[in-house]
Amino acid sequence: MLRYLSAICTLFVRLTLGFWVGGAVLFVITSVAEQTSPLFDSVARDRLATIRFPLYYLFCWICLGTALVSSVLGFACASGCLRKRLRAAAILVLISLGIAVADYFWVYRPLQALIIPPGEARTQEFVTLHNRSRHINELHLTIALVAAVVICLPEKGRAPCSPAAD
């Protein structure tokens, strides 16, 4: 029973980390396209940012929170190499999630306040906070990617699809 629970938890960790990394990359691609498109004026760009970014952070917290809970539960039920990888994933996810939460409250929220009302000129404070947020997001997303790689590595000495791996 514990073996199946650890397998299900590992599956959830793998899926949710993949959802988050892939979703974040897609978000960045579409956001850059919107911000550089001549089809949107500065008012529309600011409105899009105030609509999209809270959802970005919510999706982040749901994915990373699920990965964290699943990795901790899986760690409690697993054994051997998988247990070590689940512990490493849990630690990495906790760090990534902590950074994302801190970024939202201490960087994004003040940044968002600077674009309300929409269409205002960008201040130096906006540029500083925007760059800080970009670097913080790169960091926490890289940590989540490392966690995804760690949890997806096959166990040493076992063929990925061998019956002995069950």
Side-chain angles (χ1 to χ4, degrees):
M1 180 65 178
L2 289 179
R3 183 177 69 174
Y4 292 112
L5 185 56
S6 73
I8 290 168
C9 289
T10 302
L11 173 68
F12 272 101
V13 175
R14 289 172 176 159
L15 286 174
T16 55
L17 287 174
F19 292 162
W20 170 237
V21 173
V25 169
L26 179 61
F27 179 88
V28 168
I29 290 168
T30 57
S31 293
V32 168
E34 288 171 353
Q35 294 299 314
T36 59
S37 172
L39 300 174
F40 298 109
D41 62 10
S42 63
V43 172
R45 288 181 187 126
D46 289 352
R47 285 187 178 144
L48 286 169
T50 59
I51 292 168
R52 296 183 81 186
F53 273 98
L55 296 173
Y56 167 86
Y57 285 103
L58 178 62
F59 185 66
C60 169
W61 299 338
I62 290 169
C63 289
L64 292 181
T66 302
L68 180 61
V69 169
S70 298
S71 60
V72 169
L73 185 57
F75 169 78
C77 300
S79 61
C81 184
L82 180 59
R83 183 175 167 90
K84 291 176 186 175
R85 288 188 289 119
L86 282 163
R87 180 181 57 219
I91 292 167
L92 291 167
V93 170
L94 179 62
I95 293 167
S96 181
L97 182 57
I99 292 169
V101 169
D103 175 55
Y104 178 78
F105 287 105
W106 288 304
V107 181
Y108 172 71
R109 301 260 324 249
L111 181 63
Q112 184 183 32
L114 293 173
I115 59 172
I116 298 173
E120 297 294 314
R122 301 290 193 248
T123 64
Q124 185 56 45
E125 183 182 7
F126 174 89
V127 173
T128 301
L129 286 171
H130 184 267
N131 287 332
R132 187 175 298 154
S133 184
R134 185 171 49 89
H135 293 304
I136 291 169
N137 276 283
E138 289 168 355
L139 174 65
H140 96 81
L141 189 56
T142 299
I143 294 169
L145 178 61
V146 170
V149 169
V150 165
I151 199 62
C152 287
L153 292 172
E155 288 189 50
K156 293 179 183 175
R158 287 191 175 177
C161 296
S162 73
D166 291 338

